[in-house]
Amino acid sequence: MKYFNKTLIAVSVALVSTQSMAAGFQLNSQSATGIGRAFAGDAVIADNASVLSRNPAAMALFDEKQLSMGLTYADVAVEVKDVAMGDVHFGSVPDAAEAKIIPNFYYVSPVNDKFAYGVAMFSNFGTGTDTTELSNNIIGNVIPAPIDLLGKTEVTTINFNLSASYRVNDNFSVGAGVDVIYGEGTLTRGGATPSLSGPQQTELVDVDADGVAFGGIVGAVYEFNENHRIGASYRFSPEFKASGDISMTDPQVGPIMFDEINIPIPDIFQVAGFHQLTEKFALHYTAQLTTWGDFHEISVTDGTLGGVPVAPEASLKTYAWDDSWLFSVGGTYTLNDSWTLRAGYMFDQGVVGEVSSISIPDSDRQWYTMGATYNLSKHTSLDFGIAFIRGEETDLVEYSAIYGANPTPINATTLSNATYYSMQYNYRF
C-alpha cells in the first residue's frame, strides 16, 4: 500500500516549524531565589545579583558588588496518551521528556552612586520531548503510526547579557542591556512504514542546527520609599536564525536540504512590586506578558534538491498562537539573622491557540513554590528553591500527511507537570 505522495515533503517541512520550535515552553528557572517565591517581584526586589535576568534598572539598588550563581534541576514529566486515528490506536508514551540541569551566573558592580553594570548568563527558552517509541507501530502490518508527528525534539537557548543602570534621582532609576543569545536544536521525524518486503525505516526530517542572535532589555524602577517600590522591564527578542544540517526527505524525490531556519522569538514585558509591610514580612507580585502572538511564521532559506537550488526562501507554517500572561504573588519572611523564608503562587497561561502539537504539550499551569536563604556569613549566603508545576490534561488534534493527499486528523491527550529543585550561591564583596 502506498502512503506517500508528492505533497509529503511540503507538509513535512511545514510541520517542522511546529516541532522544531519547542521553545513554546518558556523557562522560568533563572534563580533559586525567584523559584522560591514564584518569581513574584523579581524585577524589583534586588536581594541578589540574579535580578539581572529580569530588570537591569534594579542594579541601582545595590551599594556593593554582588555575585550569584546556581543550578536548577528541572524534573519534567510529559505524558502523551491515546495517540489515535479514529478507532485505530497507536499507543501512549508515559514519559516523553527528560530531566534537565539549567545553570545561571550573575555579577553586579556599582561604579559610583549613579552608575552600575552587570554581566549574566541564563536561559529563557528551552524544552525537550521524545515520542520515538510510537514511531515503529504498524497496526495490522498495514497502517503505520503518524511518523511525521512523532520523534525527538530538543531546543536549548542561552542568554549572555551585559547591562548598565543609572540612578536619575533618589526615587527613579533606569537600565538597559544587550543579550547575545546562543541556541541549538535537534529534531528527528520518521519511523517504520509497511511494504511488500516488510517494515522499512523512513526518515522524514533530520535537523541539527545552531546559531547566535542579538536582543536587548530596558527597565525602570521607582522607589516610593525604602519599603515600597515598583519596577518594569521589556525584553526585545530577535528573529533567531539557526543553520546546520536541515534535511527533509520525500521517499519519491529524495532529500531537500536547507541551510537556515528563521524563528521569531517572543518579547517579554513585566511589571513587579515589592512592599515591606512589617519588619519581618514583605509582599511582592509580578504580571508578565510574553508576545507569543509574534511567533506567527517559520521560514527556511537556501533549499537545494540534489545540489540544485530549488527554494531560495520558503514560508513553512503560519501559527495561531496567543500572547501569554503569567501572574504571581509571593511573600518573604525574615525568621532570624540566619534564615529568610519565602513562598509563592503563579498562574502561567498556555500559549497554544488553534494550532496544537503532540510535541508541544502545552496548557495553563499552576505553580506552588517555596524557598529559603541561609546566611553563612556577613558576605555569603545560600538560596534554596523548589517549585511544583502542574498542568492540565489536554485533548488535541494534529494533522498527519502520510495517509494520503488530504491531511488526516490524529487525536491525543497530553499532560505536562514538573518539579524544579534549585540552589544558588551568593557573595557580597
Side-chain angles (χ1 to χ4, degrees), residues 239 262-264 294-299 315-319:
E239 180 172 288
N262 307 307
I263 305 165
D294 293 340
F295 184 58
H296 53 84
E297 183 184 65
I298 299 291
S299 62
S315 176
L316 298 186
K317 190 176 179 68
T318 300
Y319 284 84

Side-chain angles (χ1 to χ4, degrees), residues 37 40-47 61 221-231 271-287 328-334:
R37 57 183 173 234
D42 252 37
V44 74
I45 294 181
D47 43 6
L61 302 173
V221 169
Y222 187 83
E223 301 169 71
F224 298 97
N225 53 49
E226 62 180 1
N227 293 322
H228 301 277
R229 55 186 178 268
I230 58 173
V271 177
F274 172 83
H275 306 282
Q276 189 74 44
L277 300 182
T278 70
E279 183 180 350
K280 289 184 172 291
F281 179 74
L283 176 70
H284 28 86
Y285 47 85
T286 288
S328 65
V329 61
T332 299
Y333 184 78
T334 303

Side-chain angles (χ1 to χ4, degrees), residues 134-170:
L134 299 184
S135 61
N136 292 321
N137 292 349
I138 301 178
I139 308 302
N141 296 318
V142 175
I143 304 175
I147 61 174
D148 52 345
L149 311 182
L150 303 172
K152 184 176 183 179
T153 303
E154 186 166 4
V155 175
T156 302
T157 67
I158 303 174
N159 281 44
F160 299 94
N161 173 268
L162 174 63
S163 293
S165 67
Y166 176 72
R167 177 172 286 281
V168 179
N169 54 42
D170 290 342

Side-chain angles (χ1 to χ4, degrees), residues 128-367:
T129 58
D130 192 347
T131 54
T132 306
E133 66 181 79
L134 299 184
S135 61
N136 292 321
N137 292 349
I138 301 178
I139 308 302
N141 296 318
V142 175
I143 304 175
I147 61 174
D148 52 345
L149 311 182
L150 303 172
K152 184 176 183 179
T153 303
E154 186 166 4
V155 175
T156 302
T157 67
I158 303 174
N159 281 44
F160 299 94
N161 173 268
L162 174 63
S163 293
S165 67
Y166 176 72
R167 177 172 286 281
V168 179
N169 54 42
D170 290 342
N171 302 103
F172 187 62
S173 304
V174 295
V178 175
D179 288 323
V180 180
I181 307 168
Y182 172 77
E184 61 181 8
T186 59
L187 171 73
T188 61
R189 293 292 179 269
T193 56
S195 71
L196 294 178
S197 59
Q200 293 185 348
Q201 285 296 313
T202 302
E203 299 301 325
L204 297 179
V205 179
D206 189 1
V207 175
D208 186 359
D210 63 2
V212 174
F214 294 89
I217 184 171
V218 295
V221 169
Y222 187 83
E223 301 169 71
F224 298 97
N225 53 49
E226 62 180 1
N227 293 322
H228 301 277
R229 55 186 178 268
I230 58 173
S233 68
Y234 195 99
R235 171 161 264 116
F236 302 89
S237 297
E239 180 172 288
F240 196 88
K241 297 180 184 297
S243 60
D245 298 323
I246 305 167
S247 173
M248 294 76 163
T249 302
D250 185 327
Q252 294 184 356
V253 303
I256 295 180
M257 307 294 295
F258 290 91
D259 285 342
E260 197 170 67
I261 296 179
N262 307 307
I263 305 165
I265 302 176
D267 295 346
I268 302 171
F269 168 72
Q270 60 187 298
V271 177
F274 172 83
H275 306 282
Q276 189 74 44
L277 300 182
T278 70
E279 183 180 350
K280 289 184 172 291
F281 179 74
L283 176 70
H284 28 86
Y285 47 85
T286 288
Q288 176 178 292
L289 172 68
T290 305
T291 63
W292 281 110
D294 293 340
F295 184 58
H296 53 84
E297 183 184 65
I298 299 291
S299 62
V300 290
T301 55
D302 299 329
T304 59
L305 177 61
V308 178
V310 294
E313 185 174 2
S315 176
L316 298 186
K317 190 176 179 68
T318 300
Y319 284 84
W321 283 17
D322 300 323
D323 291 348
S324 175
W325 281 96
L326 69 77
F327 304 94
S328 65
V329 61
T332 299
Y333 184 78
T334 303
L335 184 64
N336 51 44
D337 291 341
S338 297
W339 287 96
T340 300
L341 309 179
R342 56 184 63 89
Y345 166 80
M346 179 194 297
F347 172 77
D348 190 5
Q349 190 178 36
V351 303
V352 175
E354 298 175 9
V355 179
S356 57
S357 168
I358 293 173
S359 290
I360 309 179
D362 193 32
S363 71
D364 293 345
R365 292 173 293 274
Q366 316 284 333
W367 290 55

Side-chain angles (χ1 to χ4, degrees), residues 372-385:
T373 296
Y374 179 69
N375 295 313
L376 296 170
S377 68
K378 179 181 178 181
H379 298 283
T380 307
S381 64
L382 293 176
D383 286 342
F384 307 92

